[in-house]
Structures are given as structure tokens and as C-alpha cells.
Amino acid sequence: MNVFEIFSIIGTIAFAMSGAFVAMEEDYDILGVIVLGMVTAFGGGVIRNILIGVPVTTLWSQGTFIMLALFSIAIAFILPNPWIGHWKKTEIFFDAIGLSAFAIQGGLYAADMNHPISAVIVAAVLTGIGGGIIRDLLAGRKPLVLRDEIYAVWAILAGLMIGLHIADSTVSLLILFGAVVFFRMLSVHYRWRLPKRTLQTVEKETSVAPNKQHTLNK
């Protein structure tokens, strides 16, 4: 077992339990907990495989990871509430490990198939954040990774480093892995945000204006 398989194991556990906890927060039954946990752990990889031409059926060759995800979901379901509270305090760190491991894994998949750099970046991003997006959509939430946090950016940079062959050895990939985890945690600590523009003010003004006009007509 190489080091990236270990990282992938940690990421699988973190993502599966994350999906399970979201399902429980939304008051889903045991089936919903299993579905959200599995989707979070494997959804990004499935979408990546479809886009870069890897047979989707390769998922079924990952029997060890599937069993690991199911076991993690079962543990999440039976954990006492105080323990879940302790887990959620460290969830960000394990989530950062999962993001880094899966983004690098996705980028390497595409690079090994000699896809262009654009495909390498997309594969890294989808593998790193795809499961979380599907989880949030199934839970009826706005995807957090596209709204409030610098999250996908680190997956993009991981894919860029792999696509440009800057990170193409074990040592450089380990450095890249550590850098993604470090900057992910740094962005959480300092609450870094991407620039955004909201149209809510415009919508409020347009809704208030007709009301004012109606009052004047009276």
C-alpha cells in the first residue's frame, strides 16, 4: 500500500462520514444516511470517470473502499451525539486531507490518460469536490463549496500543478498534497473568500419601487 492509498482511505472515511452526518442533520432515515454517505465518498470519482473516459464500472473494483465507506457510515449512525460533536471539531482537517488526496488522484487519472491540461484540472476538481456538491443538492442545501469558502480553488491548483508536470514525482506529489491541506486549513482559519457580487439588493429595490408608485397613485 502506497502513501496515496492511505490518504485515499482517510479521505473516504472523512467524506463518507460527512455525508452521513449531513443526512442525519436533515432527519433522513438509515437509507438516506447510506445514500448520502456513499455519494459523498464516490460521487466525484464517478463523474470524473464519465468525463475522462474511464469505465464507470471500475467503481465496483474498489470493493475495499466501498466496504470501508459503509463501515464508516455505520459508525457515524451509531455514534453518541457528544462523540459526533468531537468529530465535527476535527472534520475540517480530515476533509482537507480528503480534498487533497482525491484532487491529486483525479488529476493523475487524467494525466496518465494523456488528456490536455484542461481535462486534468476538471478531473482534479470533480474528484475533490463533486461528492460534496451532490451531497448538498440531495440534502436540499446550496453547495457550500461554490458559495462561502475557497475550496475548489485548491483542487484547481492541484490539477494545474499535475497538468503542467510540475508535480510528477512521488516527492513533488507529497509536497503538493501537504500544500493543498495547509492552504485549505489556512483559508478556513482566516476565512478567505472569493469575490462575489449579489443581486439581492437590486431585486429588493425593484420590488419596492412598484409599491411606492402604487402609493403615489392613491
Side-chain angles (χ1 to χ4, degrees):
M1 181 180 294
N2 60 45
V3 67
F4 288 105
E5 287 179 337
I6 296 174
F7 293 151
S8 295
I9 288 172
I10 296 173
T12 299
I13 294 171
F15 282 7
M17 296 188 78
S18 169
F21 290 144
V22 168
M24 287 187 283
E25 287 171 0
E26 297 296 328
D27 201 25
Y28 285 15
D29 61 19
I30 180 61
L31 179 60
V33 172
I34 293 173
V35 169
L36 252 65
M38 296 298 287
V39 161
T40 307
F42 299 106
V46 170
I47 298 173
R48 173 205 68 209
N49 288 351
I50 293 172
L51 289 181
I52 68 175
V54 176
V56 179
T57 52
T58 56
L59 172 65
W60 307 122
S61 65
Q62 299 178 325
T64 302
F65 285 97
I66 291 174
M67 294 303 298
L68 178 64
L70 288 171
F71 180 75
S72 302
I73 294 166
I75 294 297
F77 190 75
I78 64 175
L79 275 179
N81 287 345
W83 289 26
I84 293 176
H86 289 306
W87 162 268
K88 293 186 77 66
K89 290 179 182 178
T90 59
E91 181 182 12
I92 296 294
F93 176 68
F94 288 106
D95 182 77
I97 291 176
L99 168 70
S100 183
F102 286 171
I104 292 173
Q105 179 197 75
L108 290 174
Y109 260 106
D112 288 344
M113 296 179 68
N114 296 317
H115 285 303
I117 187 171
S118 57
V120 174
I121 293 173
V122 169
V125 172
L126 287 178
T127 311
I129 73 170
I133 292 177
I134 299 172
R135 175 203 65 203
D136 289 343
L137 291 175
L138 289 177
R141 301 179 174 186
K142 292 181 180 179
L144 184 65
V145 300
L146 300 179
R147 184 167 58 94
D148 286 339
E149 299 183 6
I150 295 182
Y151 191 87
V153 170
W154 308 125
I156 293 172
L157 292 178
L160 185 64
M161 294 297 101
I162 294 171
L164 292 174
H165 303 290
I166 296 174
D168 56 2
S169 66
T170 301
V171 173
S172 60
L173 287 171
L174 284 173
I175 293 172
L176 177 61
F177 172 83
V180 172
V181 173
F182 175 75
F183 283 109
R184 165 61 182 154
M185 297 303 295
L186 209 62
S187 65
V188 171
H189 180 73
Y190 289 106
R191 300 188 179 186
W192 292 343
R193 299 288 186 270
L194 291 173
K196 67 178 181 179
R197 179 185 176 187
T198 180
L199 296 179
Q200 292 181 358
T201 304
V202 176
E203 292 175 356
K204 289 179 181 178
E205 290 175 352
T206 55
S207 63
V208 169
N211 292 334
K212 290 184 176 179
Q213 185 64 38
H214 180 70
T215 302
L216 290 174
N217 289 340
K218 286 183 178 180

